[in-house]
């Protein structure tokens, strides 16, 4: 080993049992960084220990943080939680097996063959990641997602499912049970079943908190089944609860493998000797690269098509957890780390130019999977003794070297194979690394106070729209100016009224039309804000 | 219009013909920013004018930059170029129509029904964007992509195509004709056809530079057709050349609409009065938000599922164009703007928490599409007088307001509808905005000198692997240490030899195995770098 590369030997973490490696030799950190960090890491270990023991780790919301118990129910601080986890897992297995065996079956088809998951954010990103990473055409059910409130998006998915809708099982997922995107997606799906003369409830399952709006709806409509969400599991760490396990089990994926991988990674990341704890090594590397103040973006380059969605999953986990205004003392710190990336070598063509030569505001996390393809598949040579997979590995190494040459930092996670166990381990690794990092910078990594502001502002827009609608309806046929409508809707925000009317009037079915003001004698065209609007009287 | 919102009126650009709006009222710019910038903008207009006139705008590569001519061939500086563009477009229309009418047909199926596009970077991102934004199950052909050199990724696509392979047309796209990922994808596809007893060439078309490696291959194998790439079209601005138009035409999309939209946007963005030029307004807004030194990331939130890939397309266009070490004077400037994003409202749940409350290093580009769904589709109400689309619009407005409240900047592009014309316009808008921004910060936006380093380093890895392979082969059956192998392979880089061997030995078919060193008397486990490796003698 030559001198320049002895860093590699000293910074290569390996766990043989999991087939997992972490190389931090290319992280840009000063000599002695890790030992200087040790006291803060020791506090972080203690905090994570308390969290796993059932402390109120999410103080703002007065909640425990229990996602680690999901894969080790005996660690839960009380027997009722252990029991709830175990029972739910058994019910998931039983329900999936009933669906696969057509003991639970649709009204007008012999068997459920499609799975439509309706959820957003923490209720979609995990299931999407797992479906893409582990799924194949041989799955027990084909999986689709409604993960937005885009009407055209709903139509596209329904068009793709086509006649298969009568053999489609819907899993509606909302922890709070009141997420509007999910509520809308459910109503749009329900309407599609109704148009086919089918009872939606006989094709629907809910995953939600007990007693939530969705839960009550599921009870009153008699959904096929309901699975619980618990207040001690955050949306962004819910993949190994019913949120992620139910869709994966229905798809026919190995959910026991996911849980086992997470449990085994938890054993490694529970260690309080930094050199032996890969999550601590990751969190420390992030701190070194970002200065602990988010000064560099975290770019994921997994060299594996199946992991293309990992960056989106990590985006939520990292950004929603760490992107905080205040630390735990209440000081304004404006924390966070921006996350992006898709896959290598594809992304090399998009932006390694900038990462290497341009603005120095990113560090890369490479993810390598050693096993190129399933062993039963034929491997061809693209040159003598060289395969496509050798190129994939070569591009990763080449990019790592090209960045390193320029003092741009990176770290590399290597997995022997990509399967349920290693994916579960990867999920658990990042959950713990984010938890540790939040401790290192002393923020609450488990709440999301800033999300409410946008929802509240959106609700205000919808409320204003309802008032605008009533104004136009009450004076149907009459062209009204923005100012007139705004005043009559008891508002003072003509800009928002304009946005609302511009949108409504672009959709013919809504019966609201733009009335353009004639150009004045000056010949200057009028501003769209001088348009009037009117509701066409119902025919 | 109340005072606080009068900025909106003053910063709302609207083009009625294109159904296009740009709101820059929420950009964080000091008073008078635009007028102070006017002299630099005037130079940028002059430079763009010269570029369109055929100047050597990409001086490092001694090339003209002609993507604007693709949609207005008469603007090309010489008649041969005009002729080449016009002829190629006519050939694309003719070929697509021959395929659709089964005048060009596969050997063992009545008609080509699938389209497999093999390309990466600039030869994939545009076709992927257009296919996702405009495609539907009603398309003339179903489109698939090989956009990497991941063996498992190839297998996944081939598994999904399944029996359809015999009715699959491959379009192999590489400007240089030597891109290894694309070469590997083509060879893997060729092998799949061969295994079915089919002649790949009779199912293949090439889009490449005349005389390139791929071009010569296509000639020698007698591909169905060849379409040209020109050195005056860069990969990241090639969507409106054969690279993008051929796949879109085969898919049955309206390529004349794409060209028309781009041509009409070019008319607007050629204007040299800033207030009337939406690309100049965009470029100026980027400059205001980033300080002209990339200090904030550009986050795209298109509230439309169909535009989910726009950020990936823009990522390459912006980052590869602007991410440069040197300005045109040769000064080290480390330029660039990082780009990420997926879609709203989905991404609100992932990271608006951070964008609003956390590290202040991003500005948002909202993209709104006013038309919610095709008019013939039923629209349901999710509440009285309120649709899913109203919520989509409400979430956009709510997020914009929530960011603005905290002094986080944004801009909003609004399209009346999403169709070929407006998508062509959007593509052209960003091409011009990037061009203008490159002028404002005085860099060459058309080369990518940093990309070569990674490719060169990857080639070195592959070359070293070949030497390692020969060493192991010549001493087959014998376990050799890393140091022995490295020395015998005439290398000094045992780290890279380790990466190579770790990868090869994880793939059973490669006949290379790890030989673990027995633990020493100390009981300490040995480092993986102390492993030996051997090639199993061929059976």
């Amino acid at each position: 080993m030559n001198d320049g590369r002895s860093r590699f030997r000293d910074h290569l973490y390996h766990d043989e049992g999991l087939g997992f490696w972490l190389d931090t030799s290319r992280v840009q950190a000063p000599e002695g960084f890790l030992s200087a960090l040790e006291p803060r890491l020791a506090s972080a270990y203690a905090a994570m220990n308390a969290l796993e023991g059932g402390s109120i780790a999410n103080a703002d919301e007065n909640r425990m943080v229990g996602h680690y118990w999901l894969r080790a129910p005996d660690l839960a601080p009380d027997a009722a939680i252990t029991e709830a986890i175990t029972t739910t897992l058994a019910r998931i297995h039983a329900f999936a097996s009933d669906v696969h065996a057509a003991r639970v079956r649709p009204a007008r088809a012999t068997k459920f063959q499609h799975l439509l998951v309706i959820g957003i954010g923490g209720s979609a990103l995990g299931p999407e990641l797992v479906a893409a990473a582990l799924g194949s055409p041989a799955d027990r059910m084909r999986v689709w997602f409604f993960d937005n409130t885009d009407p055209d998006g709903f139509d596209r998915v329904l068009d793709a499912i086509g006649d298969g809708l009568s053999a489609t099982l819907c899993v509606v997922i909302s922890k709070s049970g009141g997420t509007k995107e999910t509520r809308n997606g459910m109503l749009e799906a329900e309407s599609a079943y109704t148009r086919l003369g089918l009872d939606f409830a006989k094709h629907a399952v809910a995953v939600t908190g007990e007693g939530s709006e969705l839960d009550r709806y599921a009870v009153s409509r008699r959904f096929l089944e309901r699975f619980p969400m618990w207040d001690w599991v955050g949306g962004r760490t819910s993949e190994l609860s019913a949120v992620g396990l139910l869709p994966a089990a229905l798809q026919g994926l190995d959910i026991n493998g996911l849980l086992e991988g997470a449990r085994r990674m938890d054993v490694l990341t529970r260690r309080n000797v930094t050199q032996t704890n890969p999550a601590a090594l990751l969190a420390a590397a992030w701190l070194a690269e970002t200065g602990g103040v988010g000064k560099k973006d975290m770019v994921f380059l997994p060299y594996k098509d199946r992991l293309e969605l990992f960056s989106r999953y990590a985006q939520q986990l990292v950004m929603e957890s760490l992107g905080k205004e205040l630390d735990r003392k209440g000081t304004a710190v404006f924390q966070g780390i921006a996350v992006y990336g898709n896959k290598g070598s594809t992304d090399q063509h998009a932006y390694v130019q900038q990462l290497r030569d341009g603005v120095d505001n990113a560090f890369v996390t490479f993810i390598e999977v050693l096993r190129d393809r399933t062993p039963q598949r034929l491997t061809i040579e693209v040159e003598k003794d060289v395969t496509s997979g050798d190129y994939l590995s070569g591009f990763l190494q080449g990019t790592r070297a090209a960045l390193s040459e320029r003092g741009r930092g990176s770290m590399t996670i290597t997995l022997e194979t990509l399967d349920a166990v290693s994916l579960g381990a990867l999920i658990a690794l990042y959950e713990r690394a984010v938890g540790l990092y939040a401790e290192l910078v002393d923020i609450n990594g488990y709440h999301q106070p800033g999300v409410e502001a946008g929802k509240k502002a959106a609700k205000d827009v919808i409320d204003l729209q309802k008032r605008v609608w009533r104004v136009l309806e009450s004076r149907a046929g009459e062209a009204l100016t923005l100012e007139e409508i705004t005043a009559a809707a008891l508002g003072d925000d003509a800009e928002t009224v304009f946005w609302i009317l511009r949108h409504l009037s672009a959709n013919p079915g809504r019966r609201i039309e733009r009335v353009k003001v004639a150009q004045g004698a000056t010949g200057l065209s009028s501003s769209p804000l001088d348009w009037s609007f009117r509701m066409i009287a119902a025919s």
Side-chain angles (χ1 to χ4, degrees), chain A residues 488-508:
Chain A
L490 304 175
D492 63 351
D493 182 359
E495 179 185 343
T496 303
V497 172
F498 173 75
W499 280 68
I500 289 169
L501 289 166
R502 179 173 62 170
H503 171 243
L504 290 171
S505 61
N507 288 282

Side-chain angles (χ1 to χ4, degrees), chain A residues 260-509:
Chain A
E260 185 197 334
R263 185 166 47 243
R264 285 163 65 184
M265 182 56 81
D266 286 345
V267 171
L268 306 184
T269 60
R270 208 170 270 136
R271 293 173 177 163
N272 59 11
V273 177
T274 304
Q275 294 292 356
T276 67
N277 180 337
L281 293 170
L282 263 191
W286 299 350
L287 200 77
E289 288 287 353
T290 66
V293 293
K295 74 181 179 200
K296 292 198 180 179
D297 298 348
M298 186 185 298
V299 177
F300 280 96
L301 287 179
Y303 279 64
K304 198 70 176 173
D305 290 357
R306 290 181 178 274
L307 288 176
E308 187 167 356
L309 296 185
F310 187 73
S311 64
R312 286 187 64 180
Y313 175 82
Q315 204 168 45
Q316 179 185 40
L317 180 62
V318 174
M319 294 178 77
E320 197 171 38
S321 298
L322 303 181
K324 300 291 157 71
E325 179 185 2
L326 305 176
D327 68 10
R328 286 214 189 89
K329 297 182 204 74
T331 310
V333 288
F334 303 107
Q335 270 292 355
I337 306 177
V339 174
Y340 63 93
N342 305 290
K343 67 180 182 182
S345 72
T346 308
D347 281 9
Q348 286 180 219
H349 297 257
Y351 55 73
V352 165
Q353 166 65 40
Q354 175 166 314
L355 297 192
R356 181 177 187 271
D357 281 9
V359 54
D360 188 10
N361 69 349
F363 66 98
V364 172
T365 305
F366 293 103
I367 304 180
E368 181 189 26
V369 177
L370 294 176
R371 176 74 58 86
D372 289 332
R373 63 199 337 157
T374 48
Q376 54 271 38
R377 302 296 290 236
L378 181 78
T379 289
I380 65 160
E381 291 183 355
V382 295
E383 293 165 23
K384 182 166 157 34
D385 303 328
V386 177
T387 67
S388 299
D390 296 339
Y391 268 96
L392 191 66
S393 176
F395 282 124
L396 184 159
Q397 293 182 60
T399 301
R400 175 174 173 271
L403 293 175
S404 193
E405 259 173 38
R406 289 294 180 100
R408 310 286 170 112
S410 73
M411 57 204 75
T412 303
I413 289 167
T414 298
L415 308 173
E416 286 279 345
T417 59
L418 178 61
D419 57 16
V421 173
S422 63
L423 184 60
L426 199 57
I427 288 170
L429 173 69
Y430 275 85
E431 287 177 350
R432 185 85 60 164
V434 168
L436 288 167
Y437 189 92
E439 297 301 334
L440 290 175
V441 299
D442 194 26
I443 57 161
N444 178 348
Y446 305 101
H447 66 169
Q448 51 283 328
V451 171
E452 286 310 311
K455 287 188 191 170
K456 169 71 173 61
K459 184 180 181 306
D460 291 346
V461 171
I462 297 290
D463 288 346
L464 180 57
Q465 177 181 311
K466 289 176 179 174
R467 298 200 302 274
V468 164
W469 188 275
R470 285 196 296 269
V471 169
L472 288 167
E473 202 170 35
S474 67
R475 297 169 68 176
E478 196 176 338
L480 302 173
T481 66
L482 271 187
E483 284 68 19
E484 288 169 333
I485 298 167
T486 306
L490 304 175
D492 63 351
D493 182 359
E495 179 185 343
T496 303
V497 172
F498 173 75
W499 280 68
I500 289 169
L501 289 166
R502 179 173 62 170
H503 171 243
L504 290 171
S505 61
N507 288 282

Side-chain angles (χ1 to χ4, degrees), chain A residues 79-408:
Chain A
I81 291 179
T82 304
E83 168 73 13
I85 297 168
T86 312
T87 309
T88 301
L89 180 60
R91 286 182 54 220
I92 290 168
H93 277 293
F95 182 74
S97 122
D98 284 348
V99 168
H100 297 157
R103 286 186 294 269
V104 170
R105 46 168 287 191
R108 279 219 306 261
T110 52
K111 212 174 153 171
F112 282 116
Q113 290 179 305
H114 296 269
L115 172 64
L116 175 58
V117 177
I118 305 176
I120 193 167
S123 300
L125 292 166
E128 285 169 338
L129 166 66
V130 169
L134 303 180
S136 85
D139 292 342
R140 305 295 296 255
M141 300 177 79
R142 180 151 181 204
V143 63
W144 307 86
F145 292 92
F146 276 5
D147 69 348
N148 198 358
T149 177
D150 173 11
D152 177 65
F154 298 139
D155 292 344
R156 286 175 84 190
V157 172
L158 293 172
D159 285 350
I161 296 176
D163 293 341
L165 193 66
S166 60
T168 300
L169 177 69
C170 292
V171 175
V172 188
I173 309 178
S174 170
K175 185 184 165 190
S176 74
T179 308
K180 295 302 183 194
E181 292 93 332
T182 304
R183 191 271 318 254
N184 295 351
M186 182 182 72
L187 294 176
E188 295 263 1
E190 180 162 11
S191 154
Y193 282 89
T194 305
R195 290 197 296 275
L196 289 181
L198 291 166
D199 179 6
F200 174 66
K202 295 289 158 279
H203 303 74
V205 175
V207 180
T208 187
E210 212 181 311
S212 77
E213 188 181 319
L214 171 58
D215 197 44
R216 285 178 277 125
Y217 192 80
V219 169
S220 72
R221 299 292 171 116
R222 298 173 180 267
F223 277 24
L224 290 171
E225 262 295 4
R226 295 176 297 130
F227 293 89
M229 274 293 286
W230 301 294
D231 72 354
W232 43 267
V233 176
R236 56 189 175 273
T237 53
S238 66
E239 175 50 29
L240 298 178
S241 74
V243 168
L245 296 181
L246 180 65
L250 287 165
Q251 208 181 333
L253 307 179
D254 173 16
I255 62 171
N256 289 338
L258 284 170
L259 290 167
E260 185 197 334
R263 185 166 47 243
R264 285 163 65 184
M265 182 56 81
D266 286 345
V267 171
L268 306 184
T269 60
R270 208 170 270 136
R271 293 173 177 163
N272 59 11
V273 177
T274 304
Q275 294 292 356
T276 67
N277 180 337
L281 293 170
L282 263 191
W286 299 350
L287 200 77
E289 288 287 353
T290 66
V293 293
K295 74 181 179 200
K296 292 198 180 179
D297 298 348
M298 186 185 298
V299 177
F300 280 96
L301 287 179
Y303 279 64
K304 198 70 176 173
D305 290 357
R306 290 181 178 274
L307 288 176
E308 187 167 356
L309 296 185
F310 187 73
S311 64
R312 286 187 64 180
Y313 175 82
Q315 204 168 45
Q316 179 185 40
L317 180 62
V318 174
M319 294 178 77
E320 197 171 38
S321 298
L322 303 181
K324 300 291 157 71
E325 179 185 2
L326 305 176
D327 68 10
R328 286 214 189 89
K329 297 182 204 74
T331 310
V333 288
F334 303 107
Q335 270 292 355
I337 306 177
V339 174
Y340 63 93
N342 305 290
K343 67 180 182 182
S345 72
T346 308
D347 281 9
Q348 286 180 219
H349 297 257
Y351 55 73
V352 165
Q353 166 65 40
Q354 175 166 314
L355 297 192
R356 181 177 187 271
D357 281 9
V359 54
D360 188 10
N361 69 349
F363 66 98
V364 172
T365 305
F366 293 103
I367 304 180
E368 181 189 26
V369 177
L370 294 176
R371 176 74 58 86
D372 289 332
R373 63 199 337 157
T374 48
Q376 54 271 38
R377 302 296 290 236
L378 181 78
T379 289
I380 65 160
E381 291 183 355
V382 295
E383 293 165 23
K384 182 166 157 34
D385 303 328
V386 177
T387 67
S388 299
D390 296 339
Y391 268 96
L392 191 66
S393 176
F395 282 124
L396 184 159
Q397 293 182 60
T399 301
R400 175 174 173 271
L403 293 175
S404 193
E405 259 173 38
R406 289 294 180 100
R408 310 286 170 112

